[in-house]
């Protein structure tokens, strides 16, 4: 691993443009344009990074393809938050070894969080020699240069940095959706929750300048985007470290003023940093959706302490009460981990108690996954998977019926839905209500991208069924 010796600047972006053009010239001359396939693992941040990879590859003259098997350039944008995401990457790489024998011109690139771990790089160097290009989370913008180096040297290129320098603005981006978009407002995390690998692979927290964010969102609105999702590992601490004094609440108010944008979402919020100022901004800004994703992870104060979450169960519940009082019909979703080292069945009961009290509209529930290098990995009393599974199932038996009950309460209501795709049921489309619940209803696909009124007629546990009004 190395520290970059040149700070990426806007001049650097121009340099990368030159590499993109050189590669495009090569691809132009080919009989058939090479095709690329991006396999994205993990969170919204990675999904958004993949849109930048897509934009850069297109600028280099590659064409996208629907299936990995048809691709000449395959790139995995990896995640390492839990072990199973890593195992999938290794499994797929094993398969690609055979695919590359059949198509020796195929190039394989790996990037993202998993690549920031030295043990992973060692494994790739030793066992996966068919990989051509490897880079990490801090130098995504260098993709063109790395491809060029690989073409020129015809040997594997590894370029992993151990820290971030400046933020490179204005990378070419191809968005997955025309009418909704993710916007990074900050990168990295300083919280060091003891189970979490993110601070080690995404580096320290750094915020983008508000003027850059606003400029990007204005351009998105001009391009037809109606919904933006402001992205950061901990959006509530947005602004720290910037020369200009600005809080996340103030940023939200600025975004709320942008013409053309109709919905504003954000994630993720850390309970310890959620201010009264933010709750007030959410309540007062008409475009901010009535939904908050507020991970609580565990209900036991002992477990929370050992997780280094820096709040208590009581503080979390008070916060939820405050939010519900200020924004009465808000939907609250969360993340929960079961099986943290030393967690007892009584501790899991505390988690279940929080779920009963808050009544979450949705919960991402995870079994604790030991991540080498994090403090929790060397804590005593690691829990057997079987035991964790018992607590996990018990939790789901409480969480899911509540989600269903809350959805049932919506039957009969007319909701505003942003239509975002075609359902697997023929003739049906899917969309999201303002509180982020999925709705299936009969309509033609021309409505994709529109915000329409839908009457809710029925519901399943995880989605609503409706009729277009
Ligand atoms: N094991 C299980 N879940 C984890 N998460 C983060 N690290 C781990 C881990 N080691 C979960 C947390 C976080 C979400 C994005 O992933 O719940 O909020
Ligand atoms: Fe991981 Fe905690 Fe940072 Fe979220 S806040 S990314 S869980 S360390």
């Amino acid at each position: 691993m190395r520290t970059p010796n040149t700070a990426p600047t806007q001049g650097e972006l121009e340099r990368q443009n030159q590499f993109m053009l050189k590669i495009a010239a090569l691809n132009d001359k080919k009989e058939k344009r090479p095709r690329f396939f991006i396999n994205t693992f993990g969170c919204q941040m990675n999904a958004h990074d993949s849109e930048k990879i897509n934009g850069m590859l297109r600028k280099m003259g590659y064409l996208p393809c629907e299936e990995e098997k048809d691709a000449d350039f395959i790139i995995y944008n990896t995640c390492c938050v839990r072990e199973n995401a890593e195992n999938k990457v290794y499994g797929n790489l094993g398969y690609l070894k055979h695919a590359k024998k059949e198509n020796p011109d195929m190039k394989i690139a790996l990037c993202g969080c998993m690549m920031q771990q030295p043990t992973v790089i060692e494994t790739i160097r030793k066992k996966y020699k068919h990989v051509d290009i490897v880079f990490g989370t801090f130098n995504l913008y260098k993709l063109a240069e790395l491809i060029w180096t690989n073409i020129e040297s015809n040997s594997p290129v590894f370029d992993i940095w151990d820290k971030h320098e400046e933020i490179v603005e204005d990378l070419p981006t191809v968005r997955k959706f025309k009418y909704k978009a993710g916007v990074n407002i900050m990168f990295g995390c300083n919280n060091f929750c003891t189970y979490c690998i993110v601070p080690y692979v995404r580096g320290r927290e750094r915020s983008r300048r508000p003027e850059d964010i606003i400029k990007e969102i204005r351009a998105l609105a001009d391009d037809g985007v109606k919904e933006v999702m402001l992205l950061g590992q901990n959006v509530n601490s947005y602004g720290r470290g910037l020369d200009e004094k600005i809080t996340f609440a103030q940023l939200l108010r600025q975004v709320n003023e942008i013409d053309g944008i109709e919905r504003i979402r954000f994630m993720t919020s850390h309970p310890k940093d959620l201010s009264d100022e933010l709750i007030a901004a959410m309540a007062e800004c008409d475009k901010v959706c009535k939904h908050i994703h507020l991970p609580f992870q565990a209900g036991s104060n002992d477990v929370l302490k050992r997780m280094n979450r820096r709040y208590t169960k009581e503080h979390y519940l008070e916060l939820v009460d405050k939010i519900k009082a200020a924004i009465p019909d808000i939907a609250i979703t969360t993340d929960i981990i079961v099986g943290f080292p030393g967690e007892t069945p009584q501790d899991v009961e505390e988690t279940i108690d929080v779920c009963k009290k808050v009544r979450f509209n949705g919960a991402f529930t995870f079994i604790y996954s030991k991540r080498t290098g994090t403090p929790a990995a060397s804590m005593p009393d690691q829990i057997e998977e079987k035991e964790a599974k018992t607590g996990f199932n018990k939790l789901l038996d409480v969480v899911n019926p509540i989600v269903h009950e809350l959805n049932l309460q919506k039957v009969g209501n007319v909701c505003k839905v942003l239509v975002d795709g075609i359902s697997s049921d023929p003739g049906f489309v899917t969309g999201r209500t303002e509180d982020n619940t999925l709705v299936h209803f009969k309509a033609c696909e021309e409505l994709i991208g529109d915000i329409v009124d839908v009457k809710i007629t029925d519901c399943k546990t995880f989605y609503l069924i409706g009729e277009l009004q």
Side-chain angles (χ1 to χ4, degrees), residues 406-413 455-459 464-465:
L406 293 174
N407 279 343
L408 261 179
Q409 288 171 7
K410 294 176 191 150
V411 173
N413 292 357
K455 181 166 188 183
I456 307 306
T457 54
D458 196 1
C459 79
L464 307 171
I465 299 169

Side-chain angles (χ1 to χ4, degrees), residues 322-363:
K322 239 198 277 183
I323 297 170
K324 284 184 174 173
I327 313 161
D329 39 1
I330 192 156
I332 304 181
T333 55
T334 198
D335 292 344
I336 306 169
I337 298 175
V338 178
F340 185 79
E343 189 176 58
T344 64
Q346 186 48 42
D347 290 328
V348 178
E349 288 304 324
E350 297 281 341
T351 299
I352 289 175
D353 186 48
V354 172
C355 293
K356 285 184 180 159
K357 290 195 165 113
V358 177
R359 296 178 62 78
F360 293 104
N361 295 75

